[in-house]
Amino acid sequence: MHGVAVSGLLGRALEGELARVGRTELVPARYHVDLFRPARMTETTASASLAREGPRLVLLDALVEQGGVTVARASAIFLRPSSPPPGEVWSARDRPVPPDLASADGEAAGLLLASDKPWSSVRGDHLNSGRHQLWYTPIPVVLGEAITPFQAVTSAADNASMVANWGTSGVQYINADISLALSRRPTSVSIGMRALDHIAADGVAVGAAEVFDHVGSLGVATVTGIANQHRALPKHLRAED
């Protein structure tokens, strides 16, 4: 089972628990996943629980289990929004923008990529050392249930490895975790990511990507990975495969 599916399922469980405790006014600020066992295409369950609640925050935990064994876990902190403080703080000016799509709504599920080459769905076009970015509209986490913007961004977060670890030979690292820091909720279920940095030594890599939507940038995703060149992304695959 792809990490996108596992992460999206954890996000769905967390969102359901937040609704159960009646704190949907809070903003998802930090989401972290540990992917420590391979998830198989078999019966899968997800659950979430309240770890801590206060006036300005809620901390939740979540598990994905298969056959009574935990294959992934997540934690998330949700914060109460308020008025921004006065003053100015340095911020990057070069921000990513979505590809030229017709509208922010109704986009078909799928993946577009850009690098040294322009936006396309053909992965083989992007086997280069340029700065990679993607635009992703995920499928629903549960069949017959509309995906929410939070579920979409938690699903898309696994793709940080796609932009941060992609080079001339494809993606040659498999990520063991996902960390997502957000300043606000996404405005739609279409999510973009652009590489911020890739740092590697002795087969261990750290990748970071800027997360954005139709409105603008909303956070940063990071992944840690281990070299996995025998299962690098093949050249013949297209984004929809």
Side-chain angles (χ1 to χ4, degrees):
M1 187 184 296
H2 199 286
V4 166
V6 175
S7 187
L9 188 57
L10 286 163
R12 178 180 179 272
L14 291 165
E15 193 169 48
E17 182 67 7
L18 188 71
R20 188 192 69 80
V21 299
R23 300 300 302 273
T24 55
E25 82 281 4
L26 302 183
V27 173
R30 191 262 298 147
Y31 169 76
H32 177 79
V33 177
D34 291 310
L35 302 165
F36 47 83
R37 290 181 185 270
R40 309 299 183 184
M41 295 298 290
T42 185
E43 183 176 343
T44 303
T45 61
S47 60
S49 59
L50 176 66
R52 173 77 170 88
E53 181 177 8
R56 303 182 66 185
L57 65 84
V58 163
L59 177 64
L60 303 177
D61 295 324
L63 300 174
V64 166
E65 297 176 294
Q66 295 183 331
V69 176
T70 301
V71 298
R73 66 185 180 189
S75 65
I77 191 164
F78 296 79
L79 302 179
R80 189 179 71 190
S82 62
S83 300
E88 297 183 3
V89 179
W90 179 89
S91 181
R93 303 300 181 190
D94 174 28
R95 296 298 188 188
V97 295
D100 186 17
L101 298 173
S103 68
D105 299 315
E107 296 168 16
L111 180 68
L112 292 173
L113 295 162
S115 57
D116 279 347
K117 298 292 183 69
W119 289 101
S120 78
S121 62
V122 182
R123 298 187 185 188
D125 289 349
H126 304 287
L127 290 169
N128 57 62
S129 59
R131 187 180 191 180
H132 283 69
Q133 55 183 324
L134 62 80
W135 183 253
Y136 181 54
T137 305
I139 63 173
V141 175
V142 174
L143 186 65
E145 180 181 294
I147 193 169
T148 68
F150 179 67
Q151 292 171 25
V153 76
T154 56
S155 294
D158 182 69
N159 283 326
S161 183
M162 289 277 288
V163 294
N165 293 324
W166 193 312
T168 56
S169 298
V171 181
Q172 298 191 93
Y173 293 88
I174 184 169
N175 53 302
D177 72 351
I178 308 163
S179 292
L180 179 65
L182 300 174
S183 63
R184 60 173 174 83
R185 291 182 180 272
T187 58
S188 72
V189 298
S190 294
I191 304 296
M193 290 194 175
R194 186 176 68 167
L196 286 174
D197 208 350
H198 168 85
I199 303 169
D202 300 324
V204 177
V206 176
E210 186 171 358
V211 184
F212 61 100
D213 59 13
H214 283 280
V215 173
S217 296
L218 65 146
V220 174
T222 64
V223 289
T224 57
I226 187 168
N228 197 38
Q229 61 262 36
H230 297 301
R231 296 181 60 190
L233 183 70
K235 295 182 180 181
H236 67 275
L237 282 183
R238 294 174 61 90
E240 61 267 31
D241 292 338

